[in-house]
Amino acid sequence: MLLGITSPIVTAVPGFHSPWERTAGIDELARIAEAADRLGFDHLTCSEHVAVPVEIAEQRGGTYWDPLATLSFLAARTTNIRLVTQVLVLGYHHPLAIAKRYGTLDLISNGRLVLGFGVGSIEEEFDLLGGEFAGRGAIADDALAALRASMSRERPSYEGTHFTYDGLVIDPHAVQQQVPFWIGGFTPRSLRRARELGTGWVPFGLPHDKLREMLDAAPLPDGFEVVLGAGRPIDPIGEADRTRRAIDRTRDAGATIVNVQIAATSADHYVEQLEALAALEENR
C-alpha cells in the first residue's frame, strides 16, 4: 500500500494535532505503529527540531520527539514499515554523524530507513547548534553528496566544498546499498536538489496545480518517489467518500506515495481509522 502516515503524538502542530495526543506516550505510539505495520502502510514519520523559539513554537508547535530515539524504539516493535525522518535538518549534523547514527538504525531495522532531509529555516536553532544559516543551501548540497558517498561504506572517502575526509572507519553502517533520500521543500531548487542528490521529493505548502506544473516541467529519474500530503486530517470511518477523493486528488497531482494525517479521538480510534483506511484502499 503506497500510503504513509504522519505519525501522531511526536509533534503538536496547531491545526493538525488532537487533544488526546497531548497526554499520549510511547505505548500509544507503538500500538499505532504496530497496527500500521500489520495493515501494510508504507511508512511512518518523525521530524526534527532541537529547540524552537517560543514565538515560532506558537505557530509551528514546540513538540518534536527526537527522531533517532523514536524510530529506533519503533523499529523494535515493527517488521516491515519504513522509518522516515521527515525531515532531518542537514545543517545540524556532520554527514558522518548521520551516516553512523542512522546507519545503525538501518542495521537494527533490517534496512527500513528512509532519510528525509531539509535545509532548515529557523536561524536561532542554527545559532544554538553552531550551524551556518547563511549559505545553508550550498552546505546542504555538499552534505548530501558526502552522505551518498558514505552512507553504506565502512571506509568512506569524500572531498567536497565543505566536507572532506578519508582514512576513517564507520562501523556499523547502513545495510541498504542506497538508503532512500527524500528531500523536503517547496521551491524549484528543492526539486532540483531531490532529482540530483536524492531519490524522492517531499513538497509542502504548495497547491496541487502548482505541484503538477513543477513536476511536469522536471523529468524525473526512474523510481523517483514523490511523497505528497493529502491535506487536512482524513476521517476514513466518518467521511469515507471525502477520504477517497482526498487521496485520489493527491495521486492525480503526481504523488507516488500519499502521506496522510488521521483524525482521531484516541489511540484506539486511530487504529480503527487505520483499519478503515486500509479497507478503503483494498476495495478500490
Side-chain angles (χ1 to χ4, degrees), residues 10-13 46-50 52 57 60-67:
V10 299
T11 59
V13 178
C46 193
S47 58
E48 175 183 52
H49 279 293
V50 175
V52 182
R60 296 165 54 170
T63 298
Y64 291 90
W65 288 30
D66 180 76

Side-chain angles (χ1 to χ4, degrees), residues 1-3 39 41 234-248 251 260 262 271-284:
M1 186 193 315
L2 295 179
L3 290 178
L39 293 165
F41 283 82
I234 59 173
D235 180 1
I237 295 174
E239 297 179 319
D241 289 342
R242 190 188 77 78
T243 296
R244 287 194 193 92
R245 289 196 301 271
I247 293 172
D248 288 344
R251 286 177 173 147
V260 296
I262 306 289
V271 171
E272 292 168 1
Q273 291 278 49
L274 287 178
E275 292 169 345
L277 180 56
L280 286 178
E281 283 292 287
E282 187 176 346
N283 294 325
R284 279 178 177 274

Side-chain angles (χ1 to χ4, degrees), residues 188-210:
R189 186 176 185 182
S190 71
L191 178 54
R192 187 273 304 162
R193 181 176 289 122
R195 291 167 55 215
E196 295 179 357
L197 299 169
T199 60
W201 186 42
V202 189
F204 55 85
L206 293 171
H208 282 173
D209 57 345
K210 179 62 176 177

Side-chain angles (χ1 to χ4, degrees), residues 9-281:
I9 303 170
V10 299
T11 59
V13 178
F16 291 87
H17 180 256
S18 300
W20 69 272
E21 297 177 55
R22 177 57 65 186
T23 56
I26 192 65
D27 290 340
E28 289 86 352
L29 181 63
R31 271 199 289 134
I32 289 167
E34 288 170 341
D37 189 41
R38 170 175 52 83
L39 293 165
F41 283 82
D42 179 75
H43 67 265
L44 53 80
T45 65
C46 193
S47 58
E48 175 183 52
H49 279 293
V50 175
V52 182
V54 172
E55 60 277 15
I56 295 177
E58 290 172 354
Q59 301 172 2
R60 296 165 54 170
T63 298
Y64 291 90
W65 288 30
D66 180 76
L68 184 58
T70 304
L71 295 177
S72 296
F73 185 91
L74 297 179
R77 299 286 292 266
T78 55
T79 303
N80 296 308
I81 195 166
R82 295 198 286 177
L83 310 166
V84 180
T85 63
Q86 190 171 305
V87 295
L88 206 64
V89 182
L90 280 160
Y92 297 169
H93 310 272
H94 190 283
L96 290 185
I98 296 175
K100 180 58 175 285
R101 294 170 177 167
Y102 285 89
T104 304
L105 173 56
D106 193 52
L107 171 71
I108 66 175
S109 68
N110 294 318
R112 290 187 283 140
L113 173 69
V114 177
L115 283 171
F117 291 118
V119 299
S121 60
I122 301 179
E123 185 169 2
E124 295 90 336
E125 205 169 27
F126 274 81
D127 292 342
L128 176 73
L129 299 172
E132 184 178 335
F133 187 74
R136 64 194 184 285
I139 295 172
D141 284 348
D142 197 43
L144 282 169
L147 274 163
R148 182 52 75 209
S150 308
M151 195 71 208
S152 306
R153 289 172 173 76
E154 182 177 345
R155 299 190 178 189
S157 176
Y158 181 75
E159 183 173 352
T161 54
H162 294 82
F163 302 100
T164 296
Y165 44 80
D166 195 9
L168 301 168
V169 176
I170 302 293
D171 186 31
H173 51 77
V175 295
Q176 294 182 84
Q177 288 305 302
Q178 185 182 60
V179 174
F181 289 176
W182 292 354
I183 310 303
F186 57 89
T187 64
R189 186 176 185 182
S190 71
L191 178 54
R192 187 273 304 162
R193 181 176 289 122
R195 291 167 55 215
E196 295 179 357
L197 299 169
T199 60
W201 186 42
V202 189
F204 55 85
L206 293 171
H208 282 173
D209 57 345
K210 179 62 176 177
L211 281 167
R212 184 74 266 174
E213 178 183 326
M214 291 175 70
L215 291 170
D216 288 343
L220 302 178
D222 291 341
F224 190 82
E225 296 176 308
V226 179
V227 187
L228 302 182
R232 66 184 176 91
I234 59 173
D235 180 1
I237 295 174
E239 297 179 319
D241 289 342
R242 190 188 77 78
T243 296
R244 287 194 193 92
R245 289 196 301 271
I247 293 172
D248 288 344
R249 281 197 303 270
T250 308
R251 286 177 173 147
D252 290 343
T256 61
I257 301 175
V258 178
N259 218 18
V260 296
Q261 294 189 313
I262 306 289
T265 57
S266 67
D268 288 341
H269 186 213
Y270 197 105
V271 171
E272 292 168 1
Q273 291 278 49
L274 287 178
E275 292 169 345
L277 180 56
L280 286 178
E281 283 292 287

